[in-house]
Amino acid sequence: MRSIRVGAALAVGGTLLLATACGGHGGNGTAKAASAGNPGAGSTASAGAAAPSAPASSASAAVVDIEPKDGTTNAAPDALKVAVSGGRLGQVTVTDKSGRQVQGSISADGTSWVPATGLSVADSYQVKAQATDAKGVATSATSSFSTLTPARTSRSQDNVTTGATYGVGMIVSFNFGMPIQNKQAVEQAITFETSDGTQVKGHWMGSSRLDIRPQNFWNVNTQVKIHIRLKNVEVAPGVYGGSDRDESFTISNRAQVSTVDEAAHTMTVQDNGQTTEVVPISGGSDEHPTYNGTMVIEAKEGTAHMTSASVPGLAPGAYDLMVPHSMRLTDSGTYVHGNNWSSAGTFGHQNVSHGCVGLQDAPGDAGGTDTPAAKFYAASMVGDVVKVVNSKGAQVSPDNGLSGWNMPWSAW
């Protein structure tokens, strides 16, 4: 599988090893110069003559600086930096408390080193760095420190169940439950792998919700893996993501797209562009029209309790129904559902609902088992696409349910 990153890609490199001279050992983040004297080989002195003195040792001109300093506690995960003045870095080794090495890279000019990713919170680290000056005289420095333990974390709830299969219109939606300020870091911490190389991109629906989708509907049979690495990301000042996890799902082997024509009172069901069924429907009335636009089944709710309390212009108690074969299309309450209270002649001829798309069903809270509503419910899944055209209603907003397909890719 190819790995696709939601946001801008991060540069990742391993620790770079350059040839160094043997050096002395320093500590507490301060470099100590290595000895460079040489007494000479095979030298002798005549009787009574003073022995030649060894040349004085010379300190390295290279000075290594490590941040955080030795003994630091509560360091931020992005605080680690190694730099040298008067020389070039040769080797930098960073390990956590379990001995695992932190990957990083030395700059092209040899004067700095940074880790490939942020450090872990609530962990401790040891840093060893070596450098040489222009004369090849080596020095080294060390530092030991610990990172902070977050006082606050955000949630990162999403709508994916690992192992599930979804329709071709599936949009992955993350809800963080609070305003996110470091949006780019959050995007970079969520990566997708797809079996066919499909690329995805995220769009913020406000400050606390991130929706992710491809440019076009998914290809059938695509396998998708999501890698979420938010635990060490500061999503807002003093607040960290709190979760590292992996999830996966599969796109269905059929591409079901249903088009509701409110003027014709029909719903045309297609699989990969081929019509499989035309179902008579009753859409939203002129007073309560159905939204136009591309919507996605975001939940299959079976029998849903629906009341007039949330319908503009209707008084509470105007209706109170148990509605069979209900599939939610929007957060505001648009459904495709069974209708077992209207006459059979309504379907295909009249729009009488309060904004939903109704299919004929049998009496009873659960509806029938061989009705148009029952059959469509059984044939549908979360992620299937339902388009509404020729309604007198407004265009559905991209943030109302999984309706992001109504936003052009250039604006996504």
Side-chain angles (χ1 to χ4, degrees):
M1 293 187 178
R2 277 174 49 189
S3 178
I4 299 99
R5 190 170 295 278
V6 173
L10 291 175
V12 178
T15 300
L16 180 62
L17 301 179
L18 301 179
T20 65
C22 295
H25 300 280
N28 298 327
T30 303
K32 292 186 178 180
S35 173
N38 185 348
S43 61
T44 59
S46 60
S53 59
S57 62
S58 61
S60 177
V63 178
V64 178
D65 180 65
I66 301 173
E67 294 290 345
K69 299 299 185 186
D70 189 60
T72 297
T73 58
N74 294 317
D78 61 354
L80 178 56
K81 297 177 180 64
V82 180
V84 63
S85 59
R88 293 176 64 90
L89 289 169
Q91 180 174 346
V92 177
T93 304
V94 182
T95 53
D96 63 14
K97 62 185 176 184
S98 65
R100 182 175 51 194
Q101 189 163 314
V102 175
Q103 299 299 307
S105 59
I106 295 174
S107 62
D109 63 3
T111 61
S112 64
W113 178 96
V114 292
T117 60
L119 303 179
S120 298
V121 295
D123 208 339
S124 59
Y125 293 88
Q126 291 187 335
V127 184
K128 298 178 181 179
Q130 296 179 347
T132 55
D133 63 14
K135 296 181 179 180
V137 180
T139 189
S140 63
T142 62
S143 179
S144 297
F145 63 91
S146 60
T147 52
L148 59 83
T149 298
R152 294 179 59 198
T153 58
S154 75
R155 74 185 189 191
S156 55
Q157 179 180 341
D158 64 59
N159 60 340
V160 169
T161 298
T162 290
T165 298
Y166 298 113
V168 295
M170 182 62 176
I171 294 177
V172 179
S173 185
F174 285 86
N175 190 321
F176 297 94
M178 62 168 288
I180 299 300
Q181 295 190 28
N182 197 355
K183 292 181 178 179
Q184 184 178 16
V186 170
E187 292 178 26
Q188 292 172 340
I190 302 173
T191 59
F192 279 60
E193 285 184 73
T194 60
S195 59
D196 62 355
T198 297
Q199 299 193 20
V200 300
K201 187 165 64 172
H203 183 84
W204 288 90
M205 302 294 185
S207 61
S208 61
R209 172 180 158 188
L210 175 65
D211 283 9
I212 302 168
R213 68 169 176 89
Q215 181 174 2
N216 302 304
F217 295 148
W218 296 92
N219 295 322
V220 296
N221 297 315
T222 302
Q223 297 176 21
V224 184
K225 293 181 179 180
I226 312 173
H227 306 294
I228 301 159
R229 298 294 181 267
L230 289 166
K231 182 178 179 181
N232 306 308
V233 176
E234 189 175 23
V235 300
V239 183
Y240 285 78
S243 178
D244 286 353
R245 64 186 188 274
D246 296 314
E247 299 173 344
S248 62
F249 63 92
T250 302
I251 298 300
S252 172
N253 60 3
R254 88 286 189 276
Q256 180 169 299
V257 177
S258 303
T259 301
V260 174
D261 188 332
E262 291 262 319
H265 314 292
T266 60
M267 179 175 68
T268 301
V269 183
Q270 294 186 317
D271 179 6
N272 286 311
Q274 300 299 311
T275 299
T276 59
E277 188 177 12
V278 178
V279 184
I281 63 95
S282 178
S285 67
D286 288 353
E287 295 78 14
H288 304 285
T290 307
Y291 286 119
N292 284 292
T294 301
M295 291 167 269
V296 173
I297 296 174
E298 59 177 339
K300 295 182 69 176
E301 299 181 6
T303 300
H305 183 201
M306 299 187 188
T307 73
S308 60
S310 62
V311 180
L314 289 182
Y319 69 84
D320 189 329
L321 298 169
M322 299 302 293
V323 182
H325 299 120
S326 296
M327 293 183 284
R328 181 180 286 271
L329 299 179
T330 69
D331 296 341
S332 62
T334 306
Y335 284 79
V336 175
H337 61 65
N339 177 335
N340 54 12
W341 54 88
S342 295
S343 66
T346 302
F347 305 96
H349 297 92
Q350 292 179 281
N351 291 327
V352 300
S353 83
H354 295 96
C356 295
V357 177
L359 282 66
Q360 186 177 1
D361 215 336
D365 288 351
T369 58
D370 194 34
T371 62
K375 292 177 181 178
F376 184 67
Y377 188 91
S380 299
M381 65 176 59
V382 171
D384 282 347
V385 178
V386 177
K387 297 180 179 180
V388 177
V389 299
N390 297 323
S391 171
K392 295 182 179 180
Q395 179 79 11
V396 67
S397 173
D399 64 351
N400 193 357
L402 303 179
S403 301
W405 299 107
N406 296 283
M407 182 181 292
W409 188 244
S410 59
W412 185 259

